[in-house]
Amino acid sequence: MQKRKIKDFFGKILAEIFVDKYNCIVCDAELQERSKYGLCPQCKAKLDFVDKNICKKCGRLQLNEADYCLTCQEHKRHFEFARSCAVYEDVAKEIVRGIKFGGKKYFAKYMANYLVEKYQSAFDGVNIDLVVPVPLSKKKKVDRGFNQSWEIAKRFASAVDLTACDGVVVKIKDTQEQAKLGGKEREENILKAFEVKRPEAVENKSILIIDDVMTTGSTSSEIARVLKKAKAKEVYVFTFASTRYRVEEPTE
Ligand SMILES: [Zn+2]
Ligand SMILES: [Zn+2]
């Protein structure tokens, strides 16, 4: 048993160092050269970027050219605005599932590279003081072994020369997986789930929340709400992926 554990341990280290360097992280095709994004050209082409027709508030892709999606029109968002790199479908979905449920922690550096690439254009004119990840509950963190949002956040922050800090906001309630719930249930599920542990770190600061994926935005909005309550000046959200806005979710 002990031997197996040691083998697993070294296997993981080797995977971190080597495996992802020359194979596409999604389809496993051999890469001609090391890719900053870990993807072969075919998979990269399938990654749908979020650029035009986005909701100016939550940053999600919309079917029409309206300034704001219905959810943002009808509900209070506690963040200034949110932006993301890719649509949560196909390749982007596989990447998120890989890091979240497949234990592929090393995906974080590739995801962070997308954030780095988009940061300047998405947050032009915004001065961020502090980068924080969406926290996991203690139990979830133990089960998964790491918080994927923190893994992405710290790599992104160091690349763009920002300060990232874990543990500023903590999750005090072990909520159900948001993806399994409807809009209204999500809101109730997430209520009182977060707490600012270090209010002195956020007071009068502009905070950037990092996450792997944004679905309806209720989690980020709730974190923004507690940050603002702790006197944060402004709160922004930046995620690797976000779901396409769908008309059937206006209950959020
Ligand atoms: Zn591929
Ligand atoms: Zn919106």
Side-chain angles (χ1 to χ4, degrees), residues 54-89:
I54 65 162
C55 165
K56 286 182 177 166
K57 192 74 177 175
C58 71
R60 290 180 301 168
L61 199 65
Q62 308 187 88
L63 287 172
N64 54 34
E65 290 175 18
D67 278 352
Y68 300 99
C69 74
L70 265 185
T71 310
C72 289
Q73 282 180 45
E74 292 174 357
H75 298 267
K76 168 109 183 113
R77 299 294 210 173
H78 295 276
F79 47 76
E80 301 347 285
F81 64 78
R83 291 295 179 264
S84 59
C85 304
V87 181
Y88 185 58
E89 283 165 6

PDB file of all heavy atoms in Angstrom, residues 54-89:
ATOM      1  N   ILE A  54     -21.375  40.275 -25.944  1.00  0.00           N
ATOM      2  CA  ILE A  54     -21.369  39.872 -24.540  1.00  0.00           C
ATOM      3  C   ILE A  54     -22.226  40.825 -23.708  1.00  0.00           C
ATOM      4  O   ILE A  54     -22.404  41.984 -24.059  1.00  0.00           O
ATOM      5  CB  ILE A  54     -19.940  39.795 -23.943  1.00  0.00           C
ATOM      6  CG1 ILE A  54     -19.277  41.170 -23.908  1.00  0.00           C
ATOM      7  CG2 ILE A  54     -19.088  38.790 -24.694  1.00  0.00           C
ATOM      8  CD1 ILE A  54     -18.093  41.231 -22.966  1.00  0.00           C
ATOM      9  N   CYS A  55     -22.733  40.298 -22.601  1.00  0.00           N
ATOM     10  CA  CYS A  55     -23.458  41.132 -21.651  1.00  0.00           C
ATOM     11  C   CYS A  55     -22.401  42.004 -20.965  1.00  0.00           C
ATOM     12  O   CYS A  55     -21.385  41.506 -20.493  1.00  0.00           O
ATOM     13  CB  CYS A  55     -24.173  40.247 -20.631  1.00  0.00           C
ATOM     14  SG  CYS A  55     -24.733  41.162 -19.183  1.00  0.00           S
ATOM     15  N   LYS A  56     -22.637  43.310 -20.942  1.00  0.00           N
ATOM     16  CA  LYS A  56     -21.621  44.224 -20.402  1.00  0.00           C
ATOM     17  C   LYS A  56     -21.388  44.031 -18.909  1.00  0.00           C
ATOM     18  O   LYS A  56     -20.369  44.458 -18.373  1.00  0.00           O
ATOM     19  CB  LYS A  56     -22.020  45.662 -20.685  1.00  0.00           C
ATOM     20  CG  LYS A  56     -21.831  46.032 -22.137  1.00  0.00           C
ATOM     21  CD  LYS A  56     -22.181  47.481 -22.393  1.00  0.00           C
ATOM     22  CE  LYS A  56     -21.908  47.850 -23.840  1.00  0.00           C
ATOM     23  NZ  LYS A  56     -22.527  49.113 -24.211  1.00  0.00           N
ATOM     24  N   LYS A  57     -22.366  43.412 -18.237  1.00  0.00           N
ATOM     25  CA  LYS A  57     -22.225  43.216 -16.799  1.00  0.00           C
ATOM     26  C   LYS A  57     -21.544  41.866 -16.486  1.00  0.00           C
ATOM     27  O   LYS A  57     -20.453  41.838 -15.954  1.00  0.00           O
ATOM     28  CB  LYS A  57     -23.607  43.294 -16.127  1.00  0.00           C
ATOM     29  CG  LYS A  57     -23.549  43.400 -14.626  1.00  0.00           C
ATOM     30  CD  LYS A  57     -23.118  44.794 -14.193  1.00  0.00           C
ATOM     31  CE  LYS A  57     -23.134  44.931 -12.687  1.00  0.00           C
ATOM     32  NZ  LYS A  57     -22.600  46.219 -12.259  1.00  0.00           N
ATOM     33  N   CYS A  58     -22.209  40.772 -16.862  1.00  0.00           N
ATOM     34  CA  CYS A  58     -21.679  39.454 -16.477  1.00  0.00           C
ATOM     35  C   CYS A  58     -20.685  38.894 -17.485  1.00  0.00           C
ATOM     36  O   CYS A  58     -20.014  37.904 -17.212  1.00  0.00           O
ATOM     37  CB  CYS A  58     -22.812  38.464 -16.227  1.00  0.00           C
ATOM     38  SG  CYS A  58     -23.684  37.936 -17.719  1.00  0.00           S
ATOM     39  N   GLY A  59     -20.595  39.508 -18.658  1.00  0.00           N
ATOM     40  CA  GLY A  59     -19.599  39.091 -19.632  1.00  0.00           C
ATOM     41  C   GLY A  59     -19.921  37.838 -20.417  1.00  0.00           C
ATOM     42  O   GLY A  59     -19.101  37.363 -21.195  1.00  0.00           O
ATOM     43  N   ARG A  60     -21.120  37.309 -20.228  1.00  0.00           N
ATOM     44  CA  ARG A  60     -21.446  36.072 -20.938  1.00  0.00           C
ATOM     45  C   ARG A  60     -21.905  36.346 -22.367  1.00  0.00           C
ATOM     46  O   ARG A  60     -22.469  37.399 -22.665  1.00  0.00           O
ATOM     47  CB  ARG A  60     -22.538  35.308 -20.183  1.00  0.00           C
ATOM     48  CG  ARG A  60     -22.028  34.735 -18.886  1.00  0.00           C
ATOM     49  CD  ARG A  60     -23.105  33.992 -18.153  1.00  0.00           C
ATOM     50  NE  ARG A  60     -24.235  34.854 -17.854  1.00  0.00           N
ATOM     51  CZ  ARG A  60     -25.410  34.397 -17.413  1.00  0.00           C
ATOM     52  NH1 ARG A  60     -25.590  33.110 -17.252  1.00  0.00           N
ATOM     53  NH2 ARG A  60     -26.389  35.228 -17.142  1.00  0.00           N
ATOM     54  N   LEU A  61     -21.667  35.358 -23.213  1.00  0.00           N
ATOM     55  CA  LEU A  61     -22.052  35.472 -24.612  1.00  0.00           C
ATOM     56  C   LEU A  61     -23.571  35.423 -24.737  1.00  0.00           C
ATOM     57  O   LEU A  61     -24.230  34.587 -24.114  1.00  0.00           O
ATOM     58  CB  LEU A  61     -21.436  34.301 -25.379  1.00  0.00           C
ATOM     59  CG  LEU A  61     -21.327  34.445 -26.884  1.00  0.00           C
ATOM     60  CD1 LEU A  61     -20.378  35.571 -27.252  1.00  0.00           C
ATOM     61  CD2 LEU A  61     -20.834  33.147 -27.487  1.00  0.00           C
ATOM     62  N   GLN A  62     -24.134  36.327 -25.541  1.00  0.00           N
ATOM     63  CA  GLN A  62     -25.576  36.345 -25.743  1.00  0.00           C
ATOM     64  C   GLN A  62     -25.911  36.077 -27.198  1.00  0.00           C
ATOM     65  O   GLN A  62     -25.071  36.207 -28.067  1.00  0.00           O
ATOM     66  CB  GLN A  62     -26.130  37.733 -25.403  1.00  0.00           C
ATOM     67  CG  GLN A  62     -25.748  38.263 -24.063  1.00  0.00           C
ATOM     68  CD  GLN A  62     -26.499  39.561 -23.789  1.00  0.00           C
ATOM     69  OE1 GLN A  62     -27.599  39.557 -23.271  1.00  0.00           O
ATOM     70  NE2 GLN A  62     -25.901  40.672 -24.187  1.00  0.00           N
ATOM     71  N   LEU A  63     -27.158  35.743 -27.428  1.00  0.00           N
ATOM     72  CA  LEU A  63     -27.596  35.477 -28.800  1.00  0.00           C
ATOM     73  C   LEU A  63     -27.839  36.778 -29.557  1.00  0.00           C
ATOM     74  O   LEU A  63     -27.726  36.847 -30.759  1.00  0.00           O
ATOM     75  CB  LEU A  63     -28.886  34.653 -28.801  1.00  0.00           C
ATOM     76  CG  LEU A  63     -28.712  33.184 -28.412  1.00  0.00           C
ATOM     77  CD1 LEU A  63     -30.064  32.514 -28.251  1.00  0.00           C
ATOM     78  CD2 LEU A  63     -27.868  32.453 -29.449  1.00  0.00           C
ATOM     79  N   ASN A  64     -28.175  37.831 -28.828  1.00  0.00           N
ATOM     80  CA  ASN A  64     -28.452  39.102 -29.500  1.00  0.00           C
ATOM     81  C   ASN A  64     -27.413  40.157 -29.109  1.00  0.00           C
ATOM     82  O   ASN A  64     -26.456  39.862 -28.396  1.00  0.00           O
ATOM     83  CB  ASN A  64     -29.858  39.591 -29.132  1.00  0.00           C
ATOM     84  CG  ASN A  64     -30.044  39.667 -27.626  1.00  0.00           C
ATOM     85  OD1 ASN A  64     -29.104  39.982 -26.902  1.00  0.00           O
ATOM     86  ND2 ASN A  64     -31.239  39.380 -27.151  1.00  0.00           N
ATOM     87  N   GLU A  65     -27.630  41.372 -29.585  1.00  0.00           N
ATOM     88  CA  GLU A  65     -26.643  42.414 -29.303  1.00  0.00           C
ATOM     89  C   GLU A  65     -27.062  43.335 -28.162  1.00  0.00           C
ATOM     90  O   GLU A  65     -26.580  44.460 -28.055  1.00  0.00           O
ATOM     91  CB  GLU A  65     -26.388  43.231 -30.572  1.00  0.00           C
ATOM     92  CG  GLU A  65     -25.626  42.437 -31.626  1.00  0.00           C
ATOM     93  CD  GLU A  65     -25.463  43.185 -32.936  1.00  0.00           C
ATOM     94  OE1 GLU A  65     -25.619  44.423 -32.950  1.00  0.00           O
ATOM     95  OE2 GLU A  65     -25.170  42.530 -33.949  1.00  0.00           O
ATOM     96  N   ALA A  66     -27.964  42.868 -27.309  1.00  0.00           N
ATOM     97  CA  ALA A  66     -28.414  43.686 -26.171  1.00  0.00           C
ATOM     98  C   ALA A  66     -27.218  43.989 -25.269  1.00  0.00           C
ATOM     99  O   ALA A  66     -26.278  43.200 -25.188  1.00  0.00           O
ATOM    100  CB  ALA A  66     -29.477  42.935 -25.388  1.00  0.00           C
ATOM    101  N   ASP A  67     -27.277  45.146 -24.604  1.00  0.00           N
ATOM    102  CA  ASP A  67     -26.171  45.508 -23.726  1.00  0.00           C
ATOM    103  C   ASP A  67     -26.085  44.580 -22.517  1.00  0.00           C
ATOM    104  O   ASP A  67     -25.004  44.222 -22.071  1.00  0.00           O
ATOM    105  CB  ASP A  67     -26.341  46.950 -23.227  1.00  0.00           C
ATOM    106  CG  ASP A  67     -25.843  47.948 -24.263  1.00  0.00           C
ATOM    107  OD1 ASP A  67     -25.249  47.498 -25.262  1.00  0.00           O
ATOM    108  OD2 ASP A  67     -26.048  49.160 -24.074  1.00  0.00           O
ATOM    109  N   TYR A  68     -27.247  44.210 -21.992  1.00  0.00           N
ATOM    110  CA  TYR A  68     -27.266  43.364 -20.797  1.00  0.00           C
ATOM    111  C   TYR A  68     -28.176  42.166 -20.964  1.00  0.00           C
ATOM    112  O   TYR A  68     -29.246  42.281 -21.573  1.00  0.00           O
ATOM    113  CB  TYR A  68     -27.730  44.191 -19.589  1.00  0.00           C
ATOM    114  CG  TYR A  68     -26.831  45.367 -19.318  1.00  0.00           C
ATOM    115  CD1 TYR A  68     -27.180  46.642 -19.750  1.00  0.00           C
ATOM    116  CD2 TYR A  68     -25.609  45.191 -18.660  1.00  0.00           C
ATOM    117  CE1 TYR A  68     -26.342  47.727 -19.530  1.00  0.00           C
ATOM    118  CE2 TYR A  68     -24.765  46.266 -18.442  1.00  0.00           C
ATOM    119  CZ  TYR A  68     -25.136  47.533 -18.880  1.00  0.00           C
ATOM    120  OH  TYR A  68     -24.293  48.586 -18.669  1.00  0.00           O
ATOM    121  N   CYS A  69     -27.775  41.029 -20.415  1.00  0.00           N
ATOM    122  CA  CYS A  69     -28.621  39.838 -20.458  1.00  0.00           C
ATOM    123  C   CYS A  69     -29.791  40.048 -19.491  1.00  0.00           C
ATOM    124  O   CYS A  69     -29.734  40.924 -18.622  1.00  0.00           O
ATOM    125  CB  CYS A  69     -27.824  38.585 -20.108  1.00  0.00           C
ATOM    126  SG  CYS A  69     -27.416  38.406 -18.355  1.00  0.00           S
ATOM    127  N   LEU A  70     -30.824  39.243 -19.632  1.00  0.00           N
ATOM    128  CA  LEU A  70     -32.019  39.404 -18.798  1.00  0.00           C
ATOM    129  C   LEU A  70     -31.699  39.248 -17.313  1.00  0.00           C
ATOM    130  O   LEU A  70     -32.235  39.961 -16.477  1.00  0.00           O
ATOM    131  CB  LEU A  70     -33.070  38.366 -19.198  1.00  0.00           C
ATOM    132  CG  LEU A  70     -34.118  38.828 -20.210  1.00  0.00           C
ATOM    133  CD1 LEU A  70     -35.152  37.733 -20.400  1.00  0.00           C
ATOM    134  CD2 LEU A  70     -34.805  40.112 -19.730  1.00  0.00           C
ATOM    135  N   THR A  71     -30.828  38.293 -17.005  1.00  0.00           N
ATOM    136  CA  THR A  71     -30.472  38.056 -15.601  1.00  0.00           C
ATOM    137  C   THR A  71     -29.875  39.320 -14.982  1.00  0.00           C
ATOM    138  O   THR A  71     -30.235  39.711 -13.878  1.00  0.00           O
ATOM    139  CB  THR A  71     -29.470  36.888 -15.486  1.00  0.00           C
ATOM    140  OG1 THR A  71     -29.986  35.794 -16.230  1.00  0.00           O
ATOM    141  CG2 THR A  71     -29.259  36.462 -14.048  1.00  0.00           C
ATOM    142  N   CYS A  72     -28.989  39.965 -15.726  1.00  0.00           N
ATOM    143  CA  CYS A  72     -28.362  41.186 -15.202  1.00  0.00           C
ATOM    144  C   CYS A  72     -29.335  42.363 -15.194  1.00  0.00           C
ATOM    145  O   CYS A  72     -29.207  43.267 -14.378  1.00  0.00           O
ATOM    146  CB  CYS A  72     -27.109  41.522 -16.000  1.00  0.00           C
ATOM    147  SG  CYS A  72     -25.760  40.377 -15.688  1.00  0.00           S
ATOM    148  N   GLN A  73     -30.296  42.329 -16.112  1.00  0.00           N
ATOM    149  CA  GLN A  73     -31.291  43.414 -16.125  1.00  0.00           C
ATOM    150  C   GLN A  73     -32.214  43.320 -14.927  1.00  0.00           C
ATOM    151  O   GLN A  73     -32.652  44.308 -14.376  1.00  0.00           O
ATOM    152  CB  GLN A  73     -32.132  43.340 -17.399  1.00  0.00           C
ATOM    153  CG  GLN A  73     -31.438  43.886 -18.621  1.00  0.00           C
ATOM    154  CD  GLN A  73     -32.331  43.781 -19.850  1.00  0.00           C
ATOM    155  OE1 GLN A  73     -33.510  44.099 -19.812  1.00  0.00           O
ATOM    156  NE2 GLN A  73     -31.763  43.314 -20.950  1.00  0.00           N
ATOM    157  N   GLU A  74     -32.522  42.085 -14.547  1.00  0.00           N
ATOM    158  CA  GLU A  74     -33.545  41.888 -13.518  1.00  0.00           C
ATOM    159  C   GLU A  74     -33.009  41.669 -12.106  1.00  0.00           C
ATOM    160  O   GLU A  74     -33.747  41.680 -11.149  1.00  0.00           O
ATOM    161  CB  GLU A  74     -34.438  40.712 -13.916  1.00  0.00           C
ATOM    162  CG  GLU A  74     -35.281  41.036 -15.141  1.00  0.00           C
ATOM    163  CD  GLU A  74     -36.078  39.856 -15.648  1.00  0.00           C
ATOM    164  OE1 GLU A  74     -35.940  38.759 -15.086  1.00  0.00           O
ATOM    165  OE2 GLU A  74     -36.832  40.051 -16.619  1.00  0.00           O
ATOM    166  N   HIS A  75     -31.716  41.383 -12.002  1.00  0.00           N
ATOM    167  CA  HIS A  75     -31.179  41.081 -10.672  1.00  0.00           C
ATOM    168  C   HIS A  75     -29.963  41.914 -10.328  1.00  0.00           C
ATOM    169  O   HIS A  75     -29.157  42.229 -11.188  1.00  0.00           O
ATOM    170  CB  HIS A  75     -30.817  39.600 -10.573  1.00  0.00           C
ATOM    171  CG  HIS A  75     -32.003  38.721 -10.756  1.00  0.00           C
ATOM    172  ND1 HIS A  75     -32.743  38.260  -9.707  1.00  0.00           N
ATOM    173  CD2 HIS A  75     -32.591  38.263 -11.886  1.00  0.00           C
ATOM    174  CE1 HIS A  75     -33.744  37.545 -10.187  1.00  0.00           C
ATOM    175  NE2 HIS A  75     -33.679  37.523 -11.498  1.00  0.00           N
ATOM    176  N   LYS A  76     -29.857  42.198  -9.063  1.00  0.00           N
ATOM    177  CA  LYS A  76     -28.706  42.976  -8.593  1.00  0.00           C
ATOM    178  C   LYS A  76     -27.447  42.124  -8.697  1.00  0.00           C
ATOM    179  O   LYS A  76     -27.401  40.993  -8.239  1.00  0.00           O
ATOM    180  CB  LYS A  76     -28.959  43.388  -7.134  1.00  0.00           C
ATOM    181  CG  LYS A  76     -27.753  43.945  -6.422  1.00  0.00           C
ATOM    182  CD  LYS A  76     -27.886  45.444  -6.189  1.00  0.00           C
ATOM    183  CE  LYS A  76     -26.635  45.991  -5.537  1.00  0.00           C
ATOM    184  NZ  LYS A  76     -25.887  46.889  -6.392  1.00  0.00           N
ATOM    185  N   ARG A  77     -26.434  42.695  -9.313  1.00  0.00           N
ATOM    186  CA  ARG A  77     -25.127  42.035  -9.369  1.00  0.00           C
ATOM    187  C   ARG A  77     -24.215  42.843  -8.463  1.00  0.00           C
ATOM    188  O   ARG A  77     -24.112  44.063  -8.627  1.00  0.00           O
ATOM    189  CB  ARG A  77     -24.581  42.061 -10.802  1.00  0.00           C
ATOM    190  CG  ARG A  77     -25.440  41.350 -11.819  1.00  0.00           C
ATOM    191  CD  ARG A  77     -25.501  39.881 -11.559  1.00  0.00           C
ATOM    192  NE  ARG A  77     -25.678  39.124 -12.796  1.00  0.00           N
ATOM    193  CZ  ARG A  77     -25.631  37.815 -12.845  1.00  0.00           C
ATOM    194  NH1 ARG A  77     -25.419  37.110 -11.748  1.00  0.00           N
ATOM    195  NH2 ARG A  77     -25.791  37.190 -13.984  1.00  0.00           N
ATOM    196  N   HIS A  78     -23.554  42.199  -7.557  1.00  0.00           N
ATOM    197  CA  HIS A  78     -22.731  42.950  -6.606  1.00  0.00           C
ATOM    198  C   HIS A  78     -21.322  43.245  -7.121  1.00  0.00           C
ATOM    199  O   HIS A  78     -20.572  43.984  -6.508  1.00  0.00           O
ATOM    200  CB  HIS A  78     -22.684  42.217  -5.265  1.00  0.00           C
ATOM    201  CG  HIS A  78     -24.032  42.163  -4.605  1.00  0.00           C
ATOM    202  ND1 HIS A  78     -24.524  43.201  -3.841  1.00  0.00           N
ATOM    203  CD2 HIS A  78     -25.007  41.229  -4.634  1.00  0.00           C
ATOM    204  CE1 HIS A  78     -25.740  42.897  -3.412  1.00  0.00           C
ATOM    205  NE2 HIS A  78     -26.061  41.700  -3.883  1.00  0.00           N
ATOM    206  N   PHE A  79     -20.956  42.627  -8.250  1.00  0.00           N
ATOM    207  CA  PHE A  79     -19.648  42.942  -8.841  1.00  0.00           C
ATOM    208  C   PHE A  79     -19.808  44.072  -9.853  1.00  0.00           C
ATOM    209  O   PHE A  79     -20.916  44.303 -10.358  1.00  0.00           O
ATOM    210  CB  PHE A  79     -19.025  41.704  -9.490  1.00  0.00           C
ATOM    211  CG  PHE A  79     -19.946  40.907 -10.386  1.00  0.00           C
ATOM    212  CD1 PHE A  79     -20.262  41.350 -11.663  1.00  0.00           C
ATOM    213  CD2 PHE A  79     -20.486  39.702  -9.947  1.00  0.00           C
ATOM    214  CE1 PHE A  79     -21.093  40.614 -12.493  1.00  0.00           C
ATOM    215  CE2 PHE A  79     -21.330  38.957 -10.778  1.00  0.00           C
ATOM    216  CZ  PHE A  79     -21.638  39.410 -12.051  1.00  0.00           C
ATOM    217  N   GLU A  80     -18.715  44.794 -10.142  1.00  0.00           N
ATOM    218  CA  GLU A  80     -18.779  45.885 -11.148  1.00  0.00           C
ATOM    219  C   GLU A  80     -19.071  45.262 -12.504  1.00  0.00           C
ATOM    220  O   GLU A  80     -20.005  45.620 -13.174  1.00  0.00           O
ATOM    221  CB  GLU A  80     -17.472  46.665 -11.242  1.00  0.00           C
ATOM    222  CG  GLU A  80     -16.905  47.369 -10.013  1.00  0.00           C
ATOM    223  CD  GLU A  80     -17.814  47.521  -8.832  1.00  0.00           C
ATOM    224  OE1 GLU A  80     -18.703  48.385  -8.900  1.00  0.00           O
ATOM    225  OE2 GLU A  80     -17.628  46.827  -7.836  1.00  0.00           O
ATOM    226  N   PHE A  81     -18.204  44.302 -12.904  1.00  0.00           N
ATOM    227  CA  PHE A  81     -18.485  43.507 -14.100  1.00  0.00           C
ATOM    228  C   PHE A  81     -17.624  42.249 -14.085  1.00  0.00           C
ATOM    229  O   PHE A  81     -16.637  42.177 -13.340  1.00  0.00           O
ATOM    230  CB  PHE A  81     -18.317  44.307 -15.401  1.00  0.00           C
ATOM    231  CG  PHE A  81     -16.930  44.803 -15.708  1.00  0.00           C
ATOM    232  CD1 PHE A  81     -15.952  43.952 -16.218  1.00  0.00           C
ATOM    233  CD2 PHE A  81     -16.600  46.140 -15.516  1.00  0.00           C
ATOM    234  CE1 PHE A  81     -14.677  44.422 -16.531  1.00  0.00           C
ATOM    235  CE2 PHE A  81     -15.322  46.627 -15.818  1.00  0.00           C
ATOM    236  CZ  PHE A  81     -14.357  45.753 -16.322  1.00  0.00           C
ATOM    237  N   ALA A  82     -18.036  41.293 -14.904  1.00  0.00           N
ATOM    238  CA  ALA A  82     -17.297  40.031 -15.004  1.00  0.00           C
ATOM    239  C   ALA A  82     -16.903  39.793 -16.456  1.00  0.00           C
ATOM    240  O   ALA A  82     -17.612  40.211 -17.369  1.00  0.00           O
ATOM    241  CB  ALA A  82     -18.173  38.885 -14.511  1.00  0.00           C
ATOM    242  N   ARG A  83     -15.770  39.157 -16.656  1.00  0.00           N
ATOM    243  CA  ARG A  83     -15.330  38.805 -18.007  1.00  0.00           C
ATOM    244  C   ARG A  83     -14.763  37.389 -17.986  1.00  0.00           C
ATOM    245  O   ARG A  83     -14.275  36.926 -16.957  1.00  0.00           O
ATOM    246  CB  ARG A  83     -14.239  39.761 -18.509  1.00  0.00           C
ATOM    247  CG  ARG A  83     -14.725  41.189 -18.774  1.00  0.00           C
ATOM    248  CD  ARG A  83     -15.732  41.249 -19.917  1.00  0.00           C
ATOM    249  NE  ARG A  83     -16.218  42.592 -20.169  1.00  0.00           N
ATOM    250  CZ  ARG A  83     -17.358  43.108 -19.691  1.00  0.00           C
ATOM    251  NH1 ARG A  83     -18.118  42.380 -18.888  1.00  0.00           N
ATOM    252  NH2 ARG A  83     -17.738  44.319 -20.003  1.00  0.00           N
ATOM    253  N   SER A  84     -14.828  36.728 -19.129  1.00  0.00           N
ATOM    254  CA  SER A  84     -14.230  35.397 -19.199  1.00  0.00           C
ATOM    255  C   SER A  84     -13.594  35.182 -20.552  1.00  0.00           C
ATOM    256  O   SER A  84     -13.804  35.973 -21.475  1.00  0.00           O
ATOM    257  CB  SER A  84     -15.287  34.333 -18.910  1.00  0.00           C
ATOM    258  OG  SER A  84     -16.323  34.459 -19.842  1.00  0.00           O
ATOM    259  N   CYS A  85     -12.795  34.116 -20.648  1.00  0.00           N
ATOM    260  CA  CYS A  85     -12.045  33.891 -21.883  1.00  0.00           C
ATOM    261  C   CYS A  85     -12.809  33.047 -22.897  1.00  0.00           C
ATOM    262  O   CYS A  85     -12.874  33.404 -24.058  1.00  0.00           O
ATOM    263  CB  CYS A  85     -10.716  33.192 -21.566  1.00  0.00           C
ATOM    264  SG  CYS A  85      -9.709  34.072 -20.379  1.00  0.00           S
ATOM    265  N   ALA A  86     -13.360  31.928 -22.454  1.00  0.00           N
ATOM    266  CA  ALA A  86     -13.952  30.990 -23.412  1.00  0.00           C
ATOM    267  C   ALA A  86     -15.374  30.606 -23.027  1.00  0.00           C
ATOM    268  O   ALA A  86     -15.761  30.711 -21.877  1.00  0.00           O
ATOM    269  CB  ALA A  86     -13.089  29.733 -23.494  1.00  0.00           C
ATOM    270  N   VAL A  87     -16.137  30.174 -24.023  1.00  0.00           N
ATOM    271  CA  VAL A  87     -17.501  29.697 -23.760  1.00  0.00           C
ATOM    272  C   VAL A  87     -17.398  28.296 -23.149  1.00  0.00           C
ATOM    273  O   VAL A  87     -16.629  27.459 -23.630  1.00  0.00           O
ATOM    274  CB  VAL A  87     -18.334  29.647 -25.063  1.00  0.00           C
ATOM    275  CG1 VAL A  87     -19.757  29.183 -24.765  1.00  0.00           C
ATOM    276  CG2 VAL A  87     -18.347  31.008 -25.735  1.00  0.00           C
ATOM    277  N   TYR A  88     -18.166  28.074 -22.105  1.00  0.00           N
ATOM    278  CA  TYR A  88     -18.107  26.805 -21.391  1.00  0.00           C
ATOM    279  C   TYR A  88     -18.809  25.709 -22.188  1.00  0.00           C
ATOM    280  O   TYR A  88     -19.920  25.290 -21.892  1.00  0.00           O
ATOM    281  CB  TYR A  88     -18.752  26.968 -20.011  1.00  0.00           C
ATOM    282  CG  TYR A  88     -18.652  25.753 -19.127  1.00  0.00           C
ATOM    283  CD1 TYR A  88     -17.416  25.205 -18.795  1.00  0.00           C
ATOM    284  CD2 TYR A  88     -19.795  25.154 -18.608  1.00  0.00           C
ATOM    285  CE1 TYR A  88     -17.323  24.095 -17.981  1.00  0.00           C
ATOM    286  CE2 TYR A  88     -19.713  24.041 -17.783  1.00  0.00           C
ATOM    287  CZ  TYR A  88     -18.476  23.513 -17.485  1.00  0.00           C
ATOM    288  OH  TYR A  88     -18.398  22.402 -16.676  1.00  0.00           O
ATOM    289  N   GLU A  89     -18.162  25.280 -23.249  1.00  0.00           N
ATOM    290  CA  GLU A  89     -18.682  24.227 -24.117  1.00  0.00           C
ATOM    291  C   GLU A  89     -17.467  23.487 -24.666  1.00  0.00           C
ATOM    292  O   GLU A  89     -16.357  23.991 -24.634  1.00  0.00           O
ATOM    293  CB  GLU A  89     -19.449  24.846 -25.304  1.00  0.00           C
ATOM    294  CG  GLU A  89     -20.842  25.346 -24.927  1.00  0.00           C
ATOM    295  CD  GLU A  89     -21.465  26.263 -25.974  1.00  0.00           C
ATOM    296  OE1 GLU A  89     -20.871  26.435 -27.050  1.00  0.00           O
ATOM    297  OE2 GLU A  89     -22.534  26.822 -25.681  1.00  0.00           O
TER     298      GLU A  89
END
